[in-house]
Amino acid sequence: MALRCGIVGLPNVGKSTLFNALTAAEIAAENYPFCTVDPNTGVVAVPDPRLAELDAFVRAAQVIPTTVELVDIAGLVRGASQGEGLGNQFLGHIREVHAICHVVRCFEDAEIVHVDGALDPLRDAETVEAELALADLETLARRLDRARKQAKSGDREARAEVELFEALETHLSEGHPARSFPVPEEREAAVRDCHLLTRKPMLYVANVDEAGLVEGNAHVAAIEARAEASDAGVIRLCGKIEAELAQLDAEDKREFLEDLGLEEPGLHRLARAVHELLGLITFFTVGPKETRAWTVRRGAAAPEAAGEIHSDFVKHFIRAEVIGYGDFIASQGEAGAKAAGKMRVEGKDYVVADGDVMHFRVSA
């Protein structure tokens, strides 16, 4: 599953600095608005210690983690939905991602210009999300116009859509994101076809200073409360620290993290948070050529997981041979798991569990 996560926020909140650090990309991060004109992309691995533990028993030629593609999108400003700043060009880029990482500045620094003159993370978050909501309201207005015309002819489906979209329009107008609007299962496809920006899963990234990373601060607390109220996630990162970590080798990085009292870089927490936000789990394939992590949605059946390896596997699926991660480790590999009776043969209805080690049997 190719995952794309868009990094958004006001200008000068630290988006590009974080992106550079997280992806080790050398893109511009100057101290002025609209430095990032085209969306920059970088692919980052999702750290999973289980990969190395599984591979210890096979020593595969390659060890391949699952990944997330990060898209650094230029700073939005008030009026973007009406073309202000770099406007709808960037709202269009946001439509193309699966999830949104909304970077909010939660640190004081007189040397870094704030686009609105003073630090106020809640105002900043509201500015960006208001523009996304306004763009969604325009989308809904067009969809409602079409549904109302169809409803005049007595089309029952169209009348049901009018009722649904009018309720959703009210929900958005009251300041709530589309993702918190309850959609009946039979209307899910209609809403999904609208590609609403505020329906995308959102993760707030509170960009803090070193003290705020360890202890948090009042700005972070305000964003955490907003996240809870708007069905979003939240994570704290320090762009300055991540930038320094990106320049260090593995040993120096470990020592630096220890000095800060941190167990891992922010990149690791961010990648995992995106997976959790999207409701994803990881399964593994293990063999002499490669030990590999794969991503699939939580609740997926075995054929869907097989399709992540090759689309033809869905149609030609016969069965899956499954060993739980814990059983694989405890049995010291596939042979031991088989001998201990820990390998299961599962059919099309099997729901994949996080950590499953799987081998798929498919027809020619």
Side-chain angles (χ1 to χ4, degrees), residues 5-58:
C5 186
I7 303 178
V8 306
L10 290 179
N12 293 358
V13 297
K15 291 187 311 86
S16 294
T17 298
L18 278 171
F19 178 86
N20 287 347
L22 297 175
T23 64
E26 293 300 327
I27 63 172
E30 283 84 356
N31 179 25
Y32 58 89
F34 311 124
C35 173
T36 311
V37 176
D38 294 318
N40 295 271
T41 62
V43 177
V44 299
V46 179
D48 194 326
R50 294 176 297 182
L51 261 180
E53 293 168 0
L54 292 169
D55 190 59
F57 300 109
V58 293

Side-chain angles (χ1 to χ4, degrees), residues 76-95:
L76 292 172
V77 294
R78 188 175 289 107
S81 61
Q82 303 300 317
E84 292 296 324
L86 290 166
N88 288 324
Q89 174 185 356
F90 298 103
L91 293 174
H93 293 315
I94 297 170
R95 292 191 195 280

Side-chain angles (χ1 to χ4, degrees), residues 221-243:
I223 292 299
E224 288 174 340
R226 182 178 178 84
E228 184 175 357
S230 61
D231 196 25
V234 63
I235 187 174
R236 293 199 305 265
L237 288 181
C238 176
K240 182 178 179 181
I241 288 176
E242 296 300 321

Side-chain angles (χ1 to χ4, degrees), residues 51 55 58-65 285-292:
L51 261 180
D55 190 59
V58 293
R59 302 297 181 190
Q62 287 184 293
V63 178
I64 305 175
T285 54
V286 177
K289 291 185 178 179
E290 65 178 31
T291 297
R292 183 164 183 167

Side-chain angles (χ1 to χ4, degrees), residues 24-364:
E26 293 300 327
I27 63 172
E30 283 84 356
N31 179 25
Y32 58 89
F34 311 124
C35 173
T36 311
V37 176
D38 294 318
N40 295 271
T41 62
V43 177
V44 299
V46 179
D48 194 326
R50 294 176 297 182
L51 261 180
E53 293 168 0
L54 292 169
D55 190 59
F57 300 109
V58 293
R59 302 297 181 190
Q62 287 184 293
V63 178
I64 305 175
T66 189
T67 60
V68 173
E69 181 180 348
L70 298 179
V71 183
D72 182 34
I73 299 170
L76 292 172
V77 294
R78 188 175 289 107
S81 61
Q82 303 300 317
E84 292 296 324
L86 290 166
N88 288 324
Q89 174 185 356
F90 298 103
L91 293 174
H93 293 315
I94 297 170
R95 292 191 195 280
E96 298 171 1
V97 302
H98 298 101
I100 297 173
C101 284
H102 183 174
V103 181
V104 183
R105 178 175 162 184
C106 293
F107 65 90
E108 304 278 357
D109 191 330
E111 295 184 2
I112 299 180
V113 177
H114 191 287
V115 69
D116 284 332
L119 181 64
D120 186 340
L122 281 181
R123 178 204 58 209
D124 294 353
E126 289 166 0
T127 295
V128 170
E129 288 160 44
E131 295 306 319
L132 301 183
L134 287 169
D136 282 350
L137 284 168
E138 286 188 13
T139 299
L140 282 176
R142 291 191 295 270
R143 187 64 181 261
L144 264 170
D145 184 59
R146 186 166 74 245
R148 284 168 177 152
K149 288 177 181 176
Q150 293 171 338
K152 287 179 180 178
S153 66
D155 187 319
R156 294 179 62 184
E157 282 296 308
R159 287 203 299 267
E161 282 199 5
V162 169
E163 184 178 341
L164 171 71
F165 290 132
E166 284 180 344
L168 179 51
E169 185 178 52
T170 299
H171 184 81
L172 284 167
S173 299
E174 292 174 348
H176 307 297
R179 63 180 172 273
S180 65
F181 180 79
V183 179
E185 186 176 349
E186 66 273 15
R187 300 295 166 203
E188 175 64 31
V191 176
R192 186 171 58 246
D193 286 347
C194 293
H195 303 289
L196 300 176
L197 301 177
T198 64
R199 199 162 190 245
K200 294 181 182 292
M202 178 176 284
L203 176 71
Y204 287 102
V205 179
N207 189 12
V208 298
D209 54 20
E210 184 176 326
L213 184 62
V214 178
E215 301 175 1
N217 57 41
H219 298 312
V220 172
I223 292 299
E224 288 174 340
R226 182 178 178 84
E228 184 175 357
S230 61
D231 196 25
V234 63
I235 187 174
R236 293 199 305 265
L237 288 181
C238 176
K240 182 178 179 181
I241 288 176
E242 296 300 321
E244 292 179 27
L245 284 169
Q247 305 302 315
L248 301 177
D249 60 28
E251 181 59 27
D252 288 342
K253 186 179 295 186
R254 183 187 62 78
E255 292 180 1
F256 186 33
L257 288 170
E258 285 183 357
D259 289 343
L260 292 170
L262 302 175
E263 295 182 359
E264 59 183 356
L267 164 62
H268 295 196
R269 292 184 288 113
L270 176 62
R272 282 199 295 270
V274 169
H275 263 222
E276 292 171 7
L277 185 71
L278 290 170
L280 302 174
I281 62 172
T282 301
F283 70 93
F284 302 96
T285 54
V286 177
K289 291 185 178 179
E290 65 178 31
T291 297
R292 183 164 183 167
W294 304 85
T295 298
V296 72
R297 66 177 182 85
R298 189 177 300 278
E304 185 177 336
E308 293 298 322
I309 297 174
H310 196 292
S311 57
D312 286 348
F313 286 7
V314 178
K315 181 171 59 177
H316 298 294
F317 178 90
I318 298 175
R319 65 180 183 273
E321 296 170 354
V322 184
I323 305 170
Y325 163 76
D327 290 332
F328 192 99
I329 298 299
S331 303
Q332 299 188 338
E334 182 177 324
K338 284 182 179 178
K342 297 299 184 180
M343 176 181 282
R344 311 187 309 276
V345 176
E346 302 286 0
K348 292 182 178 180
D349 294 332
Y350 175 69
V351 176
V352 179
D354 185 55
D356 276 349
V357 180
M358 308 187 76
H359 181 74
F360 299 102
R361 298 294 183 182
V362 297
S363 60

